[in-house]
Amino acid sequence: MSTLARAEGPRRSIAELASKNAIVLVLLGLVLVIGAARPSFLNPENLVNILRISSVRAIIALGVGGILIMRGTDLSAGRTVGFAAVVAASLAQRDDYASKLFKDLPMLPLLVPVLAALGVGLLVGLLNGSVVAFLKVPPFIATLGMMVIVYGAVSLYVDRPPMGAQPLGGLREDFTNIGTGDTLTIPNLILIAALVTLVTYVILNRTRLGKNVYAIGGNPEAAVVSGVSVWRNTLLVYAFGGLLYGLAGALLAARTGGATNNYGQMYELDAIAACVIGGVSTSGGIGTVGGMITGVLIFEVLNNGLVVLGVSAYWQQIVKGIIIVAAVAIDIQKYVRKR
Amino acid sequence: MKRTVSILVALVLVLSVGVGMVAQTAPKIGVCIYKFDDTFMSYVRNTIETAAKGKAILSVQDSMYDQPRQNDQVDQFLVEGMKSLAINMVDPSAVSVLIGKAAKKKVPLVLFNREPAAADMAKYAMAYYVGAKAQESGTMEGEIVADYWKKNPSADLNKDGVLQYVMLIGDPSNTDAKYRTEFSIKAVTAAGIKVQKLAEDTAMWDRPKAQEKMAAWLTAYAGKIEVVFANNDDMALGAIEALKAAGYFKDGKYMPVVGVDATPPALDALEQGYLLGTVLNDAKRQGLATFELAYSLALGKPASTTVAPLANADGKPDPKGKYVWVPYVKVTKDNYKAFK
Amino acid sequence: MNEHSLAVEMRGISKSFPGVKALDDVSIQVRPGTVHALMGENGAGKSTLMKCLFGIYRPDQGSIEVSGKPRSFQGARQALDAGISMIHQELHPVPFRSVMENIWLGRYPTVNLGLFKLVDNRRMLRDTRALFADLAIDIDPRAWVQTLSVSKIQSMEIARAVSYDARVIIMDEPTSSLTELEVEHLFGIIRKLRSEGRAIIYISHKMEEILEIADEVTIMRDGRRVGTYPSGELTTDLIINRMVGRDLTHRFPPRENVPGEIVLSVEGLTSANSRSFRDVSFELRKGEILGLGGLVGAQRTELVESIFGLRMVKSGRIRVKGEEVRIRDSIQAKRRGFALLTEERRSTGIFPVLSVRDNTLIANIRRYVNRIGLLDRRRGNEDVQRSVELLRIKTPGNDTKIESLSGGNQQKVIFARWLLTDPDILILDEPTRGIDVGAKYEIYSIIADLAKRGKSIILISSEMPELLGMSDRVLVMCEGRATGVLDGKGATQERVMELATQFMT
């Protein structure tokens, strides 16, 4: 078997390389086409900007990606990002800001709002994981319920007297700096996203958790008879996803300098779409970190590129929808076998 | 069976906790909000709830941006015997059905914030409307910009005497968004200024989306944009964040940005010199007018409110009118403190 | 015998599933350093018993001791920790992962980095190479499992079970996809393990294998233990006799069908999938039962599913009653008078939560639509009732969910379903798999009766006696090619095996 594959290797390599990296080619193609039509798209500032916007999306996609690989799904991702953003924002308002949510809140160490956001995400993730692992509720339903619950919770959190529901603004400079500032001329957001990407890569490829996730997604029966604890890994994957949503929420609040209770709405669908574009199989067991990141970049290049090209809002939607389906159609060919 | 019963008992208990606070003689008023996560409507809702304390029993429902759901909620209100209804419609063009329902049961109907067609309003004597003239908010936004443009010749970056602008639209199917888009520019041209639209796009009232669109425009129209119009403050603030990231608001680099709503974060941005101006859609007075109207009608008294005189659809005062027009207020660096 | 010298002792194990009692008071004793074979027909309860031992099922009654210690495993993990490993009958690879990751699934070697543990890929590769070298298995540890042939995957599973260093190794049909040479290789491994004092529990249908490798044989029938015998005392006939519980001559009903003119002829049929069948030709006569024999992987199911329009064909001709046809899907197949009873009754045969009635009518539902477009319940009920009586389907009522029926009765419902379409050609893919022995006889009677009434039948069976006992002629396939047709008298077990392994090395 192996010798056979090696013998055929060189001949097949170019076609194979193209097929394996079809998604990267799609991304490059998009960049080139948009750049040709509107050269300013290729400005370094604009490309950096796309990366900056992609950062938050990528972190969410990496969280959902692991769950998808394990044959799960997470519809509550977007709302959890929103919840975390609101919690982070509420704890990072300036002292002199007139409409502070918590009037008497002292200035907290910078880490507190971030940790609070991570905590919110982790909590939601653990709840999702528990419902899926112990109550055996199908992930689609469990996280659908959680999506609704989280929205209720965030609205409850933000809608308090005397101001009532309000956008949270007046965030501290040092907090917004996380999302808008640079370190060594590289935007913080991009650095954080790169770090998260690296960590996720290591977890998925070099830890037991990661390998188990692929195994459970690829063949749950095999995992069970091999003595892999399905509940434990389920819990961990949802918790990890939740943690990333929490981080994404904090970063989103920092980047936009505020938060409202409808932040993050539908982000889960964008993230799932990005993962699927990047070759993550919704039937489990297949997907790479590189693919997820590429998927996110395709999405954001489109988002930005279509605006730069001046495409009307309605056509933007149609084009994006077509690209999602087309990208997956191209990518899935490597798994489709003739019956 | 047992389980069903216990669930029902639990439900009844939960529901009764929410209701049983106010004296039995207070009238019951049903309120629908088109969706709870709309910031402005939250202010209106809070005012209604505060104003109702001790006077009326409110049932406030979230229509979740779903007109059929709202129709069901209204049906439920009528079954429960509400004395009057205050409805913030999801889709004002679908009002005739709601008016029919209310008329059949002879329950007074106060519509607010989203304006139905006058022809529909005429179908039922006890149908009222409380709201602001959406055109007015756009007009005021435009006047703020026109004022600034005339006072600051340096705002014309390319010195062509034409104001180049970009427009962040809320939701293209929303009438407020349409009016704000249209009348803000009309007010500028009415002041004798020539304009050129560089781009417009919808950001669904959303701050992160507006930030992303603005960033793309800064790439596509680098150095050409002279003014940013936004249909609301959240989007204006998103645009400001994108501008900050592109190096604006320091070293003398400035961009006039205007929004609507005068939310607390917007007022803060005004104070800090990022936002040129915003327009207050007076949520408090709108909520107050809505409640006062619905309350007086629920008690069987003639319609009345302390906020503004009754008027007709065009805005002319008319004691027999069915409209209450709550005026907008321009908010700029000069007067923002009054609204904090 | 000293009890503590036993590797495994299971006492009085009973286990029921909805509609069927799978195990009834079964006891076995396995000594270390021996190969203990479990034999019995499909559905006799061998796999269920082993799943009870391995902690996948929890027995309703009975006790289990491993190396003298009472055990009650809550899952595979505990069984593995207690020194039991298992090769499963259904292969369990994780397709889009490497071979070595499959081998070490659930126990990856790690390096400790203080806070975190990382999987040690290099050690995993080294260990896998060493393991494969030790067992003389030639598979690249880094290959994706999806790219391996079925027999390689089976070799991988064997290596995996051995790698646990277990005292007890359960092998449930480990040779189903192996070539003769590979089987010999496996036996070498088994002998080595035995000499190291490990106990092997070996499940197989293949008599010769059992007689060659086993020290003791426990025979099971209908969820009960018939007896345990030293393999030296057994012969093929004796085993069959005890497995079946009656003489072979009475296992099959008398057949009175008379094959007539040719109704189906297949010429040079080749699959669109290059790894499947090619150049298969045969003829089927009216009122004939044509057996289709071969090992797993012979592509018999693929062949009949292609004829039925479920899979793509590259070339070849199919003629029905002399007319050339091109069948692209099951709807056209139905229209041409074909009916297909699939191999996987659970996944592609029954609709588990639907009633017996709906399961019966589903393939033919159009016929019961009345003038206003609704289903005519009365007419449907009549047909269902007639079928239930005709096929003697044992069901509490026609509204009962089919999943609560026994396997045999489920299969009869599927027969009823296809008979209502009034087919000319019935394709039966392993029609008695997982069915009790008693019910098998009834299925055979139905098949014989259909043939007598002029229906033509293609019968795929992996059970040699069934194949030989029921068929007028037997077409044998090996690795996607037809290797010969044997008629009733010429068809012996040996001849079939010879043809079934013709291209194997």
Side-chain angles (χ1 to χ4, degrees):
Chain A
M1 198 74 211
S2 58
T3 48
L4 204 74
R6 238 175 274 138
E8 287 184 16
R11 246 187 309 134
R12 278 199 311 205
S13 61
I14 291 173
E16 201 168 272
L17 211 66
S19 133
K20 268 198 177 151
N21 298 298
I23 280 314
V24 179
L25 295 181
V26 169
L27 174 62
L28 289 177
L30 275 176
V31 170
L32 290 179
V33 167
I34 299 172
R38 193 65 75 106
S40 63
F41 173 80
L42 295 175
N43 283 350
E45 302 107 83
N46 192 50
L47 295 181
V48 167
N49 189 52
I50 291 175
L51 285 181
R52 193 177 2 221
I53 289 167
S54 303
S55 299
V56 175
R57 302 299 191 130
I59 292 170
I60 303 169
L62 290 171
V64 174
I67 295 171
L68 288 175
I69 290 174
M70 214 189 51
R71 288 199 188 185
T73 191
D74 194 346
L75 299 181
S76 67
R79 288 300 191 186
T80 308
V81 170
F83 196 178
V86 163
V87 169
S90 72
L91 299 178
Q93 289 179 307
R94 283 196 321 268
D95 244 357
D96 60 343
Y97 181 64
S99 318
K100 273 180 86 173
L101 188 68
F102 300 111
K103 273 273 166 290
D104 305 318
L105 192 74
M107 281 286 277
L108 299 164
L110 182 58
L111 217 50
V112 173
V114 178
L115 287 179
L118 291 177
V120 164
L122 183 64
L123 180 74
V124 174
L126 283 171
L127 282 173
N128 273 332
S130 306
V131 172
V132 172
F134 300 121
L135 303 182
K136 312 282 182 207
V137 178
F140 186 90
I141 302 299
T143 59
L144 178 71
M146 188 55 71
M147 170 177 98
V148 179
I149 292 170
V150 169
Y151 174 55
V154 64
S155 302
L156 215 55
Y157 180 87
V158 80
D159 186 0
R160 53 179 86 225
M163 299 299 300
Q166 53 164 321
L168 300 171
L171 303 192
R172 285 154 51 183
E173 195 99 343
D174 56 348
F175 179 75
T176 55
N177 187 47
I178 301 173
T180 56
D182 299 339
T183 301
L184 300 172
T185 73
I186 302 172
N188 293 338
L189 277 180
I190 297 177
L191 286 175
I192 295 171
L195 189 68
V196 170
T197 305
L198 183 70
V199 168
T200 311
Y201 177 85
V202 170
I203 288 182
L204 279 183
N205 294 284
R206 293 298 308 275
T207 67
R208 289 178 186 219
L209 171 64
K211 305 243 176 203
N212 287 338
V213 163
Y214 280 107
I216 293 171
N219 188 343
E221 294 277 301
V224 170
V225 301
S226 303
V228 173
S229 167
V230 173
W231 69 260
R232 194 163 160 270
N233 289 293
T234 302
L235 204 59
L236 283 173
V237 163
Y238 278 96
F240 179 68
L243 209 56
L244 292 195
Y245 310 149
L247 177 63
L251 296 179
L252 190 64
R255 193 192 92 197
T256 59
T260 69
N261 59 345
N262 56 6
Y263 262 41
Q265 195 185 359
M266 308 268 264
Y267 280 23
E268 68 280 348
L269 295 186
D270 287 354
I272 292 171
C275 284
V276 171
I277 287 176
V280 177
S281 162
T282 48
S283 48
I286 303 172
T288 62
V289 168
M292 295 172 206
I293 298 295
T294 314
V296 170
L297 289 175
I298 288 180
F299 227 82
E300 293 309 322
V301 161
L302 269 180
N303 268 337
N304 181 282
L306 292 174
V307 176
V308 170
L309 289 177
V311 176
S312 93
Y314 302 129
W315 277 104
Q316 288 178 27
Q317 301 294 318
I318 292 170
V319 171
K320 266 193 277 182
I322 291 173
I323 298 264
I324 292 175
V325 177
V328 174
I330 293 169
D331 191 53
I332 207 149
Q333 297 311 317
K334 57 180 181 221
Y335 301 114
V336 176
R337 271 190 290 170
K338 272 185 184 169
R339 288 198 60 169
Chain B
M1 191 60 210
K2 241 184 199 165
R3 218 173 49 167
T4 321
V5 170
S6 55
I7 289 173
L8 281 177
V9 169
L11 267 180
V12 168
L13 281 177
V14 168
L15 291 177
S16 53
V17 169
V19 179
M21 297 306 185
V22 184
Q24 285 301 309
T25 51
K28 289 196 283 184
I29 298 175
V31 182
C32 283
I33 305 293
Y34 87 105
K35 60 173 190 162
F36 270 17
D37 58 1
D38 180 298
T39 307
F40 177 78
M41 287 318 298
S42 299
Y43 295 139
V44 176
R45 173 161 57 96
N46 287 330
T47 320
I48 294 176
E49 284 170 350
T50 315
K53 278 213 179 91
K55 288 183 181 165
I57 304 170
L58 292 188
S59 169
V60 186
Q61 300 294 324
D62 181 357
S63 299
M64 298 184 176
Y65 208 48
D66 180 7
Q67 188 60 48
R69 186 190 301 265
Q70 187 168 67
N71 288 7
D72 295 344
Q73 287 163 343
V74 168
D75 284 338
Q76 185 59 32
F77 285 158
L78 293 172
V79 169
E80 286 173 25
M82 298 289 175
K83 294 297 177 206
S84 69
L85 304 180
I87 307 298
N88 167 219
M89 292 204 62
V90 175
D91 173 12
S93 67
V95 74
S96 63
V97 178
L98 284 195
I99 285 181
K101 287 180 198 285
K104 202 169 158 200
K105 294 264 182 147
K106 298 201 168 54
V107 176
L109 177 65
V110 179
L111 301 158
F112 62 106
N113 186 260
R114 305 184 126 211
E115 188 184 351
D120 286 323
M121 291 286 289
K123 285 180 191 157
Y124 180 35
M126 280 196 288
Y128 292 83
Y129 176 72
V130 176
K133 280 270 180 208
Q135 299 92 319
E136 199 185 14
S137 63
T139 304
M140 287 184 174
E141 220 183 338
E143 285 168 4
I144 294 171
V145 169
D147 201 32
Y148 171 82
W149 186 263
K150 287 183 174 162
K151 282 185 193 151
N152 296 278
S154 63
D156 188 4
L157 299 176
N158 55 354
K159 305 291 170 212
D160 64 349
V162 180
L163 184 153
Q164 274 89 11
Y165 71 93
V166 292
M167 175 76 70
L168 285 161
I169 301 173
D171 167 359
S173 65
N174 175 289
T175 39
D176 279 354
K178 276 187 226 160
Y179 283 141
R180 287 176 194 174
T181 305
E182 181 186 342
F183 282 85
S184 55
I185 300 308
K186 271 195 181 158
V188 176
T189 48
I193 301 167
K194 279 192 201 132
V195 296
Q196 182 195 356
K197 177 172 76 184
L198 293 176
E200 67 178 21
D201 205 335
T202 165
M204 297 309 287
W205 310 111
D206 186 46
R207 183 162 173 167
K209 278 207 188 72
Q211 187 177 2
E212 288 156 23
K213 301 280 182 197
M214 188 68 214
W217 284 337
L218 286 171
T219 296
Y221 309 103
K224 292 186 192 149
I225 303 169
E226 290 167 349
V227 176
V228 178
F229 289 89
N231 281 175
N232 75 344
D233 282 344
D234 276 354
M235 292 193 293
L237 293 174
I240 286 172
E241 289 302 325
L243 288 163
K244 279 191 202 164
Y248 280 82
F249 304 115
K250 53 187 176 204
D251 309 328
K253 212 174 170 195
Y254 181 74
M255 172 76 75
V257 181
V258 286
V260 177
D261 285 345
T263 62
L267 296 177
D268 188 57
L270 256 175
E271 183 172 22
Q272 306 212 2
Y274 297 127
L275 188 68
L276 173 65
T278 178
V279 179
L280 175 67
N281 188 355
D282 199 334
K284 284 193 181 134
R285 296 216 288 164
Q286 196 171 112
L288 189 64
T290 303
F291 175 73
E292 285 177 349
L293 213 55
Y295 183 61
S296 59
L297 290 165
L299 294 173
K301 295 180 186 165
S304 75
T305 164
T306 59
V307 172
L310 288 172
N312 64 17
D314 301 328
K316 292 200 186 88
D318 175 359
K320 291 208 175 130
K322 298 161 76 179
Y323 289 82
V324 176
W325 295 112
V326 180
Y328 280 94
V329 188
K330 267 186 239 177
V331 183
T332 61
K333 190 118 192 155
D334 305 328
N335 65 344
Y336 73 90
K337 282 201 174 102
F339 304 95
K340 283 196 95 165
Chain C
M1 189 193 292
N2 178 4
E3 272 204 356
H4 291 276
S5 68
L6 290 176
V8 172
E9 174 160 29
M10 302 179 79
R11 244 176 294 165
I13 305 288
S14 294
K15 175 78 186 169
S16 293
F17 295 108
V20 59
K21 183 149 198 183
L23 291 175
D24 187 5
D25 193 24
V26 177
S27 304
I28 63 163
Q29 298 182 330
V30 181
R31 291 178 291 120
T34 64
V35 176
H36 192 115
L38 270 184
M39 297 211 68
E41 293 201 297
N42 285 327
K46 302 160 300 202
S47 293
T48 310
L49 185 67
M50 287 304 104
K51 283 181 178 169
C52 286
L53 175 57
F54 195 58
I56 295 174
Y57 293 156
R58 317 244 333 247
D60 302 336
Q61 274 169 10
S63 64
I64 299 173
E65 281 182 18
V66 179
S67 303
K69 267 184 247 153
R71 295 283 196 171
S72 151
F73 300 129
Q74 308 275 331
R77 173 88 267 161
Q78 294 179 5
L80 289 166
D81 289 344
I84 301 178
S85 70
M86 182 164 179
I87 301 171
H88 298 268
Q89 182 181 8
E90 311 90 29
L91 299 175
H92 279 304
V94 182
F96 294 100
R97 297 270 97 193
S98 68
V99 167
M100 60 181 187
E101 278 183 42
N102 269 271
I103 297 263
W104 303 104
L105 175 57
R107 54 198 172 116
Y108 300 110
T110 53
V111 275
N112 213 331
L113 294 183
L115 263 177
F116 300 97
K117 280 188 197 163
L118 291 187
V119 171
D120 190 342
N121 283 328
R122 240 176 299 162
R123 194 177 133 204
M124 195 151 74
L125 180 61
R126 213 167 50 228
D127 290 356
T128 313
R129 285 210 171 115
L131 175 69
F132 284 180
D134 195 30
L135 301 177
I137 290 173
D138 176 31
I139 305 175
D140 182 353
R142 287 165 303 187
W144 269 24
V145 167
Q146 177 221 10
T147 65
L148 300 186
S149 68
V150 183
S151 84
K152 292 276 188 200
I153 291 175
Q154 200 153 35
S155 301
M156 178 189 87
E157 297 274 346
I158 291 167
R160 178 147 89 118
V162 171
S163 72
Y164 279 97
D165 195 27
R167 300 310 298 168
V168 179
I169 302 171
I170 305 164
M171 302 187 175
D172 193 352
E173 305 255 15
T175 60
S176 57
S177 305
L178 296 187
T179 62
E180 217 165 313
L181 213 68
E182 287 167 327
V183 170
E184 268 318 307
H185 188 137
L186 171 64
F187 283 1
I189 295 172
I190 291 179
R191 291 196 184 96
K192 179 164 161 273
L193 296 170
R194 177 169 60 185
S195 68
E196 290 165 4
R198 302 175 206 273
I200 316 286
I201 303 177
Y202 191 92
I203 300 178
S204 176
H205 280 109
K206 301 177 183 166
M207 309 284 173
E208 295 76 14
E209 284 183 10
I210 298 288
L211 294 175
E212 181 182 344
I213 195 73
D215 301 301
E216 287 177 310
V217 181
T218 293
I219 295 177
M220 295 182 66
R221 186 202 311 148
D222 299 347
R224 286 179 211 187
R225 192 184 70 136
V226 176
T228 302
Y229 316 91
S231 67
E233 292 176 11
L234 290 171
T235 62
T236 306
D237 285 350
L238 264 171
I239 295 175
I240 291 175
N241 192 295
R242 282 172 184 155
M243 269 168 43
V244 177
R246 65 180 102 85
D247 284 339
L248 252 183
T249 42
H250 292 146
R251 281 183 73 191
F252 303 102
R255 282 185 286 116
E256 297 157 12
N257 58 318
V258 185
E261 76 277 10
I262 292 171
V263 290
L264 171 72
S265 83
V266 172
E267 272 174 55
L269 204 63
T270 300
S271 169
N273 177 352
S274 60
R275 289 161 69 171
S276 192
F277 61 88
R278 65 195 121 112
D279 198 22
V280 175
S281 305
F282 66 90
E283 287 168 347
L284 177 67
R285 291 169 181 279
K286 185 177 167 69
E288 180 187 39
I289 303 176
L290 175 69
L292 205 44
L295 300 179
V296 171
Q299 307 293 328
R300 294 171 296 168
T301 297
E302 289 75 5
L303 172 67
V304 295
E305 288 187 356
S306 300
I307 294 173
F308 199 70
L310 297 178
R311 290 168 189 264
M312 293 210 286
V313 169
K314 195 167 86 190
S315 59
R317 279 197 289 188
I318 300 174
R319 264 183 281 208
V320 176
K321 290 173 190 155
E323 184 193 346
E324 183 165 345
V325 296
R326 205 159 270 283
I327 296 170
R328 289 198 185 77
D329 57 34
S330 59
I331 297 165
Q332 293 177 359
K334 230 161 66 178
R335 220 173 279 148
R336 291 285 177 186
F338 285 93
L340 172 68
L341 274 74
T342 54
E343 180 182 11
E344 299 290 334
R345 189 174 62 242
R346 285 224 142 258
S347 60
T348 59
I350 62 169
F351 300 90
V353 297
L354 294 187
S355 65
V356 169
R357 180 211 328 280
D358 293 340
N359 267 287
T360 307
L361 298 179
I362 193 80
N364 211 22
I365 203 87
R366 287 165 161 217
R367 271 215 342 231
Y368 301 96
V369 177
N370 63 17
R371 256 180 308 147
I372 55 168
L374 297 177
L375 291 178
D376 185 338
R377 257 185 109 66
R378 197 176 49 82
R379 205 144 52 85
N381 284 344
E382 281 171 10
D383 282 0
V384 171
Q385 190 53 36
R386 201 160 347 107
S387 304
V388 165
E389 284 164 17
L390 190 73
L391 300 179
R392 277 175 285 160
I393 299 170
K394 287 187 213 92
T395 169
N398 298 346
D399 288 320
T400 308
K401 285 181 190 170
I402 194 170
E403 64 180 355
S404 60
L405 267 51
S406 73
N409 282 302
Q410 290 179 0
Q411 191 67 295
K412 286 190 202 169
V413 171
I414 297 176
F415 264 97
R417 175 195 299 169
W418 285 108
L419 292 182
L420 282 178
T421 67
D422 196 23
D424 300 320
I425 301 168
L426 279 100
I427 303 170
L428 312 176
D429 195 352
E430 305 282 4
T432 63
R433 174 169 290 180
I435 289 175
D436 299 342
V437 177
K440 275 187 181 177
Y441 189 83
E442 292 189 40
I443 299 283
Y444 296 146
S445 303
I446 293 169
I447 297 172
D449 185 51
L450 289 171
K452 185 181 157 194
R453 280 162 40 197
K455 309 280 184 199
S456 308
I457 289 162
I458 298 175
L459 171 67
I460 297 182
S461 176
S462 293
E463 286 182 52
M464 203 65 85
E466 175 175 300
L467 193 66
L468 300 176
M470 286 302 298
S471 310
D472 296 309
R473 292 183 304 145
V474 179
L475 171 72
V476 185
M477 292 178 68
C478 174
E479 300 207 325
R481 277 175 282 178
T483 48
V485 179
L486 305 168
D487 62 20
K489 286 159 219 123
T492 62
Q493 200 146 328
E494 291 71 29
R495 271 301 282 155
V496 173
M497 276 314 289
E498 209 172 286
L499 290 172
T501 55
Q502 187 169 328
F503 296 120
M504 292 188 176
T505 44

